[in-house]
Every structure is written in C-alpha cells, then in structure tokens.
Amino acid sequence: MKYFNVPADFKNSTIDQYHRLNNTYDDSRVSEIYGQITVGNLYGSGRPCDMIPKIDMNTLEKHIAYGRQKNIDFSYTLNATCLGNKEFTEAGMAEIAGFLDQLYEIGVESLTIAIPPLIEFVKQSKYKFTIKASTLCDILNANKAIGYKNLGADRIVVHESINRDFSTLKSIREAFGSNVEMIVNVICHKNCIYRPFHQNQGSHDLDIDATSTRYYPHRCMMKRIEGIDNYLKMNWIRPEDIKYYTSIGINYFKIQGRHTVENGNPAKTVECYMKESFDGNLLDLLDNFSTTTAFKIYIDNKKLDGYINAFQQRPNFCKNHCLQCGYCLQYAKKSIDIVKAEEIFQGAREFYNQFDQYNKMIENNNSTRK
C-alpha cells in the first residue's frame, strides 16, 4: 500500500476528490493532508506565510473535521527551523504550550516539527501528539534517523538529496522502521548552498517583506537556468519509478507544494503517483499543475524512462561531482528541446537581473557610501 501526504488547499471539494481516489485505487490512498494557519499565526514553517493559503483557526478546525469524516488525517506544520530562541525561555514555553492547547482543542493530533527542543517539549506535554520529523531536519543517514527516533519522532521525512541513494534509503528504512516518508515532487536543487538559510528566512517571514521573500526564489531560478541538466538534478521521483521505493519497504510519500495548491491541482498530482504514470511536462507535475513562473521549459516525462536505473542498480553511482560526470546532461538532451529551452533561459536571465531587489539594495548602499 502507498500512503500519500498532500498539502491542504482547505477546500472540501478537494478532500472529496481524495476520498474518490481512495475508493478507486486499491493499492494507494491519501492518508493525510498538512498545513497551518496564517491568520493570527505565531510561528513560521517551511513556507513563508505570503505564499500559502490565508487560514485562521476556525477554518482549520472545520477542515480537519471534514477530512476526518472522509478518513483523512491532518498534520500541522510547526516546522520552523528557528523560533528566535523562544523555546528556551519561560515566557516562550508558556506561549508554545498555549498554542498547543489551541491546536489540540480544534482537533489537531499530528505535528510536523523540525527542531529537536520542540520535539522534546511536545513529547513531554500533556497531549499525545503524533510527531513527524520534518525534511528540514536533514535526515541523511541511519544514525540521524535513529537519533530522531530516540528523541520521540513517530515518522521521519528524509532529506530530498538522498532520494536516489538507494543504499542509504535501505539503511534508514532498516534502522527506523516502516514509518519513513519521502518527498516525490522535489523542486529544490541537490546540494543547494542556500537551503538552510532559505529555511531560516521562511521561519521568520510572519511579517511580509518583499526583499526577503524574493531573494531565495530568484536565486533558485537563476540556478536552474545555468544549464538544462540542472532540472534533472532536483531529485524528484517520477510516478513510473515509485515502485523502486516500495520495493525497499518505503510506502509513505509526500507531495510538496503548499505554495501551489490554491491555483494548482494537487489531486491530479497525487493521482498520477497512484497510477504510477504521467504523460506530459514533468515540471507541471512537480508544480502541482500550477503556473509558478512564466519561464517554464518542457521536459517530456516519458523520455526519462530508464533515467533512474543507474542510481537504482549501481550503489554510490552519483559522486556529487557533476563536472566529472555528464549522465544527467545525456537525459536532459533526450527529454528537452535545447533550442527552445535556451530561448526561455535568456528571457529569464534578463527578467531576474532586472528585478533583483537585493542587488539594487547593495548598489544603493554602495552609492551612499562613496
């Protein structure tokens, strides 16, 4: 059985779609949706608040109740990577405890958490929350998985960078047990230099600041368009290849993209993974069929058949030294129209260079100091 954890768009009609899918596919089900409040929110998470649905406690309570009627659970994303050291003060602890009271009262029974002291705090609270260690915990090996298990995590979401490292995934599964989860529609670059800093920025984005919320997404896009093979290095898992993960005992899969659900179609995404097939632009699937950028190239998903084989069949195939390889570039040339892609890349470079607010701030700062 494949179990899917899907971002909440807080629409009952979407839960109805998940319920239909659960009754259609015998070997798959949407078991959980996840999200958070943004109105009156005290704590950040893995996404800046301006990118996700505007939800208050009352709306969240109703949505949790409706999902429960359809036998779909809810996990609250309390996975900020920084709380400004609130968790180490008496006043901060009291505030967190009060927030947990509110969540429990409206029906939250599961929390996705990133920082260890908060896991300890929740585990010792009066409530029996189920705790999931977030992908932001950077669980990269069996030792770290065991560490979070000993801390009290009931489930873990592994770091996306090991999505194609089958030997490491096997060892984590053996060490932690069956409750290992993976993100399938990954859009982040493997070995991204911005990752931990982007996470911290998002954790503090309760008050919107345009410069801070745009800096990392802009840098991410500029990284993508350095070369067409960068799109293949994002460690996504194709629907056709999910069978290789269930074969090693991993049965929990997460659809990421809380920033895409309002204008996208997460039900369509999860159904592609349920039926293990998708014919179309891979980037549409990764973005939950939402328009996230005007500079989207076309990657023919079906022309990536066989791409996973080297990773799956040859232990330690990827050395994380792309300058000495070229494997991803071979498949990029098979699945992408290079000429059209370069035209799109050029337009993107011009746009992002023109509207780079951070560089403009640097220029303004330097000009005032002359």
Side-chain angles (χ1 to χ4, degrees):
M1 178 71 75
K2 300 190 295 288
Y3 299 97
F4 290 95
N5 180 22
V6 186
D9 62 4
F10 299 96
K11 301 173 185 175
N12 288 350
S13 59
T14 303
I15 288 184
D16 290 339
Q17 292 181 66
Y18 296 150
H19 184 63
R20 176 186 63 79
L21 292 174
N22 287 348
N23 290 327
T24 300
Y25 294 89
D26 294 333
D27 64 344
S28 303
R29 69 181 309 269
V30 175
S31 58
E32 185 177 76
I33 55 177
Y34 64 94
Q36 68 180 84
I37 63 165
T38 49
V39 178
N41 187 30
L42 298 174
Y43 306 102
S45 71
R47 296 285 181 189
C49 284
D50 70 321
M51 298 178 69
I52 54 181
K54 301 297 179 283
I55 299 298
D56 59 18
M57 279 286 189
N58 184 54
T59 303
L60 176 60
E61 180 178 18
K62 292 178 180 177
H63 197 64
I64 292 172
Y66 190 78
R68 192 156 289 145
Q69 291 176 25
K70 306 294 183 178
N71 199 28
I72 296 174
D73 295 328
F74 186 91
S75 182
Y76 191 91
T77 50
L78 197 60
N79 61 335
T81 54
C82 180
L83 295 178
N85 288 334
K86 283 184 178 181
E87 68 273 28
F88 300 117
T89 67
E90 295 291 342
M93 281 189 171
E95 180 186 273
I96 294 169
F99 190 66
L100 294 178
D101 288 341
Q102 294 180 63
L103 293 179
Y104 189 81
E105 287 170 4
I106 66 168
V108 173
E109 296 180 350
S110 174
L111 302 173
T112 300
I113 304 177
I115 58 176
L118 187 55
I119 293 178
E120 288 190 40
F121 185 81
V122 171
K123 205 67 180 178
Q124 297 179 55
S125 73
K126 60 183 177 180
Y127 304 120
K128 301 301 181 183
F129 288 108
T130 297
I131 297 176
K132 182 192 297 184
S134 169
T135 183
L136 306 186
C137 296
D138 290 352
I139 298 172
L140 293 157
N141 53 56
N143 284 341
K144 206 163 186 180
I146 293 170
Y148 276 97
K149 185 172 187 175
N150 292 340
L151 196 63
D154 301 288
R155 192 190 307 173
I156 57 172
V157 186
V158 299
H159 194 292
E160 307 97 292
S161 68
I162 61 171
N163 273 11
R164 296 170 187 163
D165 185 346
F166 284 85
S167 59
T168 296
L169 291 170
K170 287 179 184 178
S171 65
I172 290 175
R173 169 63 176 82
E174 292 168 358
F176 191 88
S178 61
N179 289 340
V180 175
E181 185 169 296
M182 302 181 67
I183 298 176
V184 290
N185 60 328
V186 178
I187 58 172
C188 292
H189 295 284
K190 184 179 181 180
N191 304 320
C192 177
I193 63 172
Y194 297 112
R195 178 183 169 95
F197 314 105
H198 191 184
Q199 293 165 357
N200 286 342
Q201 175 265 328
S203 296
H204 289 284
D205 254 323
L206 297 175
D207 298 316
I208 306 307
D209 179 271
T211 302
S212 72
T213 58
R214 292 177 184 173
Y215 175 85
Y216 289 109
H218 278 206
R219 294 302 182 273
C220 179
M221 177 55 70
M222 293 302 288
K223 179 64 178 177
R224 287 188 184 189
I225 61 179
E226 284 180 1
I228 58 166
D229 52 336
N230 279 353
Y231 283 88
L232 273 69
K233 300 172 187 175
M234 294 194 294
N235 271 13
W236 32 257
I237 299 171
R238 300 167 64 237
E240 292 82 355
D241 299 331
I242 205 167
K243 59 182 177 290
Y244 297 116
Y245 298 90
T246 57
S247 71
I248 61 172
I250 294 177
N251 298 297
Y252 288 92
F253 301 99
K254 179 179 178 179
I255 306 292
Q256 67 84 33
R258 285 187 288 148
H259 63 299
T260 66
V261 291
E262 286 190 295
N263 300 311
N265 191 341
K268 183 177 180 180
T269 300
V270 74
E271 183 167 19
C272 291
Y273 281 98
M274 285 181 166
K275 65 183 181 182
E276 300 187 8
S277 180
F278 171 63
D279 191 356
N281 185 1
L282 176 65
L283 293 184
D284 288 339
L285 181 73
L286 302 187
D287 288 333
N288 289 310
F289 300 96
S290 173
T291 303
T292 58
T293 175
F295 304 105
K296 182 178 287 186
I297 66 171
Y298 191 96
I299 304 176
D300 191 330
N301 181 61
K302 288 301 183 182
K303 291 184 178 179
L304 291 169
D305 287 350
Y307 172 70
I308 196 67
N309 292 350
F311 300 93
Q312 192 260 334
Q313 297 170 6
R314 296 162 58 184
N316 303 314
F317 168 72
C318 180
K319 306 298 183 185
N320 292 303
H321 194 342
C322 298
L323 294 177
Q324 293 184 346
C325 188
Y327 181 80
C328 291
L329 182 59
Q330 294 176 30
Y331 273 89
K333 290 178 178 178
K334 291 180 181 179
S335 58
I336 301 170
D337 184 320
I338 307 300
V339 175
K340 287 184 179 179
E342 185 50 46
E343 291 175 356
I344 294 172
F345 287 176
Q346 185 56 38
R349 293 185 190 105
E350 293 172 0
F351 175 85
Y352 285 104
N353 285 328
Q354 181 180 357
F355 294 99
D356 192 323
Q357 291 178 305
Y358 188 68
N359 276 341
K360 288 181 179 178
M361 289 178 64
I362 293 176
E363 291 172 4
N364 292 338
N365 180 70
N366 290 341
S367 66
T368 60
R369 293 176 175 274
K370 289 182 179 178

